[in-house]
Amino acid sequence: MDTIASLFSFITTPVSWVIVQFHTVYGTIFGPDTGWAWGLSIVSLVILIRVCLIPLFVKQIKATRAMQTLQPEMKKIQERYKNDKQRQSEEMMKLYKESGTNPLSSCLPILAQSPFFFALYHVLNGIATGKTIGVIDDQLLASARKAHIVGAPLAAKFMDSTDKVTALGATLTDVRVVTAVMIILMSASQFYTQRQLMTKNVDTTVKTPFMQQQKMLMYVFPVMFAIFGINFPVGVLVYWLTTNVWTMGQQMYVIHNNPTPGSKAQAAYLERLFKHVSHHGKTRNRREKAIVKAIVVKGRDRNEFERKFINGLNKAGLAAQSDGSVMKGENAAVAQAEDGTTTTATATAPRRQQPKRQSKAQRQSGGTKPAEEATESLSLTKSDEPEDAPAAAGKKAASKPGNGTRSKAQSGQRKGPQRPKSPSKK
């Protein structure tokens, strides 16, 4: 470990300087030789580092979601070129290049945090061995060796001997109890962080090997922390416990406010968003508008939870617009349809009246009425014809379709020449 720590010696001086500055501030409040002053200095160092790593954390989230989106395509490539590993690797690299993703992006926060971890370990190991490191001089070294966190010296380890722990002014029982509790908390926080990622923020509609890998890491990482934790000084355990709690809280915030599409967290978020929008009739901020806009743009590619959200808005008389805003259905010029297309709002359009269905008697009586009206009109307009003209006109009107034949068709009989009835037998 000394060889690995020496590789990061270039950052040892800045880390020790930051710790000393925080110790100066907390020392004036709690006392320079107390565990509160040195412990809070380490916690403040962790918070400072993690705040600086927030941009990398955002990139990690984007890279992880991009990798989840590519999992079906990656699986197809693996099945297609399962006997040609070289071609498989080439196609994978081509897929990464086309989509603009990088598998190593999800490891950026851990890789960026590693130099600070090894530098801090080197500083605390120097305090345990009585060596001045960086800007920590003999006076600060003596103050740090006197500092105890809940009865355990800052530089003590779980595997230290009784003589070494006694030299630091503590008992072996206190050191092992404190370090064991911190190792358990550190492993439990790591397990919970990975578990909430797997159970709440993973797209459940796609089953890929990536999910199996994450599930395996959920159990491997806590065991690794427990194994390595027994060889870490108390100060390093404080560092790792603080960074794990920070990661857990940061991930809870992301899952609650910006969940992965298709996950259970997205279903819960859209349910909360629907309740607010249906109550107030609008979105609250830019983030909500961006989420609504992304759902509207997807159109037919929406998942189950997004379709349920859009349908719920439509039933509530609201329409999600392409800019992410939400308007009332009767005032919106364009409403978002379920299939992703836009349709004109028809809230004020009158409904089409359906004609009333006539009874059989009405249809039969209505069939003879046109013939009578036609005969009457002919008799009125052609009064100067001979007396036999009305009879001819009646025959002509009776032969036209739509009069007698029409009445028979309306009464349920077939059109055209009818088969003559057979004479009745006497």
Side-chain angles (χ1 to χ4, degrees), residues 421-426:
K421 297 181 179 180
S422 57
S424 59
K425 297 182 180 179
K426 294 183 179 181

Side-chain angles (χ1 to χ4, degrees), residues 256-331:
H256 187 270
N257 295 282
N258 192 15
T260 301
S263 62
K264 294 181 180 179
Q266 188 197 29
Y269 176 79
L270 291 180
E271 185 176 355
R272 295 193 304 269
L273 181 60
F274 171 74
K275 290 181 180 179
H276 172 81
V277 172
S278 60
H279 180 71
H280 297 280
K282 62 179 182 179
T283 51
R284 288 178 291 184
N285 47 45
R286 293 182 180 179
R287 178 173 52 79
E288 291 184 353
K289 286 186 176 181
I291 292 177
V292 174
K293 180 179 179 180
I295 295 175
V296 172
V297 170
K298 283 185 178 181
R300 297 176 183 269
D301 297 331
R302 298 175 190 140
N303 56 46
E304 178 185 358
F305 309 126
E306 293 166 347
R307 288 195 298 268
K308 184 179 179 181
F309 173 74
I310 294 296
N311 293 339
L313 291 180
N314 293 336
K315 291 179 180 179
L318 301 173
Q321 306 299 302
S322 58
D323 60 350
S325 61
V326 176
M327 300 178 64
K328 292 185 178 180
E330 60 269 15
N331 297 329

Side-chain angles (χ1 to χ4, degrees), residues 362-399:
Q362 290 176 345
R363 288 197 301 269
Q364 290 177 352
S365 60
T368 58
K369 188 176 182 179
E372 296 174 356
E373 290 179 354
T375 306
E376 184 178 358
S377 62
L378 287 172
S379 62
L380 291 175
T381 55
K382 296 184 179 181
S383 58
D384 53 346
E385 293 183 358
E387 294 180 358
D388 58 343
K395 293 180 180 179
K396 188 176 181 181
S399 63

